Amino acid sequence: MSKAGSAASKPPGRGVKDVDPERLARLNAGEPAATLTECLAVDFAALMQAVAPDAGDGAVNAMRAQAALGISRRMALAARLLEERLGPDGFETLKAHRSDTVRGWACFMVGAMPAATLRERLDLIRPLADDAHFGVREWAWLAVRPQLAAELDAAVELLLPWTGDPSERVRRFASESLRPRGVWCAHIAALKTDPGRALPLLEPLRADPAAYVQDSVANWLNDASKDRPDWVRGVCERWSKGHPAEATERICKRALRSIGV
């Protein structure tokens, strides 16, 4: 297609550089992203200037200076700058913003709050864990994972009620947030060594009806199989006895994909 072709008829690009400039301008002004590529394309400095002018030029310049950082590190930096300058009132405003990136900053503001207890962080992150946007849900668990890992046993206890929540998004958070290896995050050494410490969270989800949750549980076990394959085989063998639910069979098949039976 010639360059004269309209943006609407232009086939979608595959990478950040392929995002249409007009579309990128809207994203940088606060419009929500529709794809992961659009999430990655957002200019954090421009977006911060547009949606949080009270943070000041210093925050925007600091964000601009670190534009080459990976996205997770930029999310954390943006949240720290905003938490320092806007505080709790800023969080209350940003958590409801239409931009998924801005709500993601709110997630990381929860992680950046210096005096919050683990229970308080989970209470604050819960609505964001149940967000309608896929990106915000990922930022929600990534943002508080360091605190969950630091207080692992308390985290398991606090997350246990989440496994029975009516929302599959909240149930999935209970599993995804403590995956031993996870994606775009530091591993949790304690769970690589002893994955059984988080088994109370997996047991209630072993026959979850939602594929979204099933995939998370299967990926959790697959993570654990990289270090404790016999433990994972044992869990799947126990879950598969008798007449397991179809969901359980699916979870176990996916959990064992790296090591077989």
Side-chain angles (χ1 to χ4, degrees), residues 185-198:
C185 59
H187 295 178
I188 300 177
L191 290 177
K192 292 168 68 174
T193 302
D194 183 9
R197 291 176 66 179

Side-chain angles (χ1 to χ4, degrees), residues 87-97 106 109 113 124:
D89 290 342
F91 169 75
E92 291 298 323
T93 299
L94 299 181
K95 74 176 186 180
H97 198 278
M109 289 176 78
M113 292 176 181
L124 289 169

Side-chain angles (χ1 to χ4, degrees), residues 117-159:
T117 66
L118 189 59
R119 184 184 295 275
E120 289 169 341
R121 292 185 204 278
L122 286 173
D123 287 345
L124 289 169
I125 209 69
R126 187 171 184 143
L128 294 158
D130 198 24
D131 197 276
H133 194 281
F134 68 92
V136 179
R137 298 195 298 271
E138 297 306 305
W139 295 132
W141 69 261
L142 280 164
V144 297
R145 179 176 164 93
Q147 289 82 16
L148 296 177
E151 300 182 60
L152 182 57
D153 294 330
V156 170
E157 182 177 354
L158 289 169
L159 287 171

